[in-house]
Amino acid sequence: ALAPRCGWVLAGLEQRLAVPAVVSPATARPYAAAAKAAKKDAKRSRQEKVKESPLPRRRPLMSKPVDDVYLTWLYKRPSYELEQAVGMLKKFQELDFTHPKQFVYINVLLDMALQKKKKVDPFSSGVALPHRFTDQVNKVLVFTENEQEAEVAREHGAAIVGGVELIKWILEDEIQADFYVAVPAIIPKLIPLRNKLKRKYPSTRRNSLGSDIAKMVQFFRECLEYTVEDESVIKTRIARLDMPTEHIVANLKAIIHDICTFKPSNLDPIVRRLVIRSSTSEGLLLNLHGILPQVEKVEEKQEGNATDEDQQKPAQESVST
């Protein structure tokens, strides 16, 4: 008797059936928005505290350990004079009973920065060492179409001599060489090889383009080539450990002086750090004083003298007036 008749609709139910109900997350969970806002505020406060809190002060490194056993990261890495380091490498070889004719290597960390956020492009070069330490010679290819120049190149030890006919074989990797030398007359015909040879393409900057074929061939057959790796590191061998100390020193300075030519002398030196080692020894950090060329200091003295003269001239003029 209390049941509604068929077809009857209770008051208010008709509107709810006509319009579907949409429940917002905020309405369903009224605490969600407040929790989210509180979480953001807490995160922001933590970030502000991190910014405001001072950075922990790192303990300054000590200069020299007192005991024989110590933690290396608490002390500055010792640096040695060049002659002293070479003597230590020779002593290591005697104590370790390693091969006396092992190679000596250097690792050079470079400062490639220039003015106005520019950098020195990674480069490769060859240097003639004052004291050779290996009998191995480089394979040199000479581009020339002159028969007399070709004969001179063969007499002085060129491995391959030819003209434009070599271009096809080089592009197909049938012919390869350590260095490529050319005379100025043929260089316009070698443009197809520019992308193939890249840094080894003959150029006056690398002293591989010129008219003195005998001099170029002799230089590149005996020179030591080095290349910048990872944009700022040079790793190369410079001598054998059984060579006299003065010969090892002379070879190292020759390479460092050649590296320094790739950055203007009025800027900071391109060599930032220099480490020497043998094939079986640890690396020894070198003191750069006395190794880098002294061009910068000479120029500074000249500039200082010029400024002193400029300051004295107005004074003398005022006295004379």
Side-chain angles (χ1 to χ4, degrees):
L2 299 177
R5 295 183 181 181
C6 182
W8 286 18
V9 179
L10 297 178
L13 182 60
E14 183 178 359
Q15 296 179 356
R16 282 183 285 178
L17 292 176
V19 181
V22 178
V23 181
S24 64
T27 307
R29 294 186 301 169
Y31 57 85
K36 189 174 182 181
K39 187 176 180 181
K40 287 183 178 180
D41 294 338
K43 185 177 180 181
R44 189 181 300 109
S45 61
R46 285 197 300 269
Q47 292 177 353
E48 292 176 354
K49 288 181 180 180
V50 170
K51 292 181 180 179
E52 293 176 357
S53 61
L55 296 175
R57 297 182 62 184
R58 184 178 179 181
R59 181 179 178 181
L61 297 177
M62 293 176 283
S63 59
K64 188 176 181 180
V66 180
D67 300 326
D68 296 335
V69 180
Y70 57 93
L71 300 176
T72 56
W73 59 83
L74 296 180
Y75 296 86
K76 297 179 181 178
R77 184 176 182 180
S79 61
Y80 305 93
E81 300 296 330
L82 179 54
E83 291 79 2
Q84 179 187 6
V86 174
M88 293 175 64
L89 295 181
K90 291 179 177 290
K91 192 66 176 178
F92 294 160
Q93 180 271 321
E94 296 176 0
L95 296 175
D96 296 338
F97 297 98
T98 55
H99 199 276
K101 293 187 177 181
Q102 58 186 292
F103 289 115
V104 178
Y105 298 84
I106 57 172
N107 294 354
V108 189
L109 179 62
L110 305 178
D111 180 8
M112 308 287 277
L114 294 173
Q115 294 178 344
K116 297 181 180 179
K117 297 183 180 181
K118 295 182 180 180
K119 292 184 178 181
V120 179
D121 295 329
F123 56 87
S124 62
S125 179
V127 56
L129 299 178
H131 306 282
R132 297 198 64 208
F133 59 91
T134 177
D135 296 331
Q136 182 181 359
V137 294
N138 301 314
K139 186 176 180 180
V140 182
L141 184 149
V142 179
F143 289 106
T144 181
E145 294 179 329
N146 187 299
E147 188 58 33
Q148 295 180 352
E149 294 175 343
E151 188 63 25
V152 172
R154 296 188 188 97
E155 290 177 357
H156 286 80
I160 303 172
V161 183
V164 294
E165 69 277 4
L166 299 177
I167 297 178
K168 177 183 177 182
W169 302 107
I170 295 174
L171 292 175
E172 296 178 356
D173 294 329
E174 296 292 335
I175 295 178
Q176 294 181 353
D178 298 319
F179 295 96
Y180 298 84
V181 173
V183 294
I186 198 175
I187 198 65
K189 302 178 182 179
L190 302 181
I191 295 178
L193 293 176
R194 183 181 294 274
N195 293 332
K196 178 69 175 179
L197 300 182
K198 296 181 180 179
R199 296 179 184 174
K200 293 187 177 183
Y201 187 78
S203 65
T204 54
R205 178 68 181 85
R206 291 176 51 86
N207 298 321
S208 57
L209 176 62
S211 302
D212 194 344
I213 295 179
K215 182 178 179 181
M216 291 189 297
V217 172
Q218 183 178 0
F219 171 79
F220 286 107
R221 286 184 78 245
E222 301 178 355
C223 74
L224 173 70
E225 185 181 21
Y226 62 86
T227 305
V228 176
E229 304 174 6
D230 300 328
E231 298 185 353
S232 62
V233 178
I234 294 177
K235 300 178 181 179
T236 183
R237 57 186 185 181
I238 62 170
R240 289 189 181 273
L241 194 56
D242 61 334
M243 294 173 58
T245 299
E246 56 270 18
H247 290 184
I248 300 176
V249 171
N251 283 359
L252 184 144
K253 288 185 176 181
I255 296 175
I256 295 300
H257 285 207
D258 188 76
I259 294 173
C260 291
T261 60
F262 286 88
K263 187 175 181 180
S265 58
N266 58 341
L267 301 177
D268 293 335
I270 191 172
V271 178
R272 182 186 302 176
R273 190 175 64 179
L274 178 59
V275 176
I276 188 171
R277 65 175 180 86
S278 65
S279 301
T280 59
S281 73
E282 62 178 295
L284 301 177
L285 181 65
L286 295 179
N287 185 358
L288 297 178
H289 180 70
I291 298 178
L292 301 181
Q294 302 298 322
V295 179
E296 296 86 357
K297 294 184 179 180
V298 174
E299 290 182 354
E300 289 177 0
K301 289 181 180 180
Q302 291 178 354
E303 292 177 357
N305 294 336
T307 54
D308 293 341
E309 291 178 359
D310 294 339
Q311 292 177 359
Q312 291 176 1
K313 284 181 180 179
Q316 293 176 356
E317 292 177 357
S318 61
V319 171
S320 60
T321 55

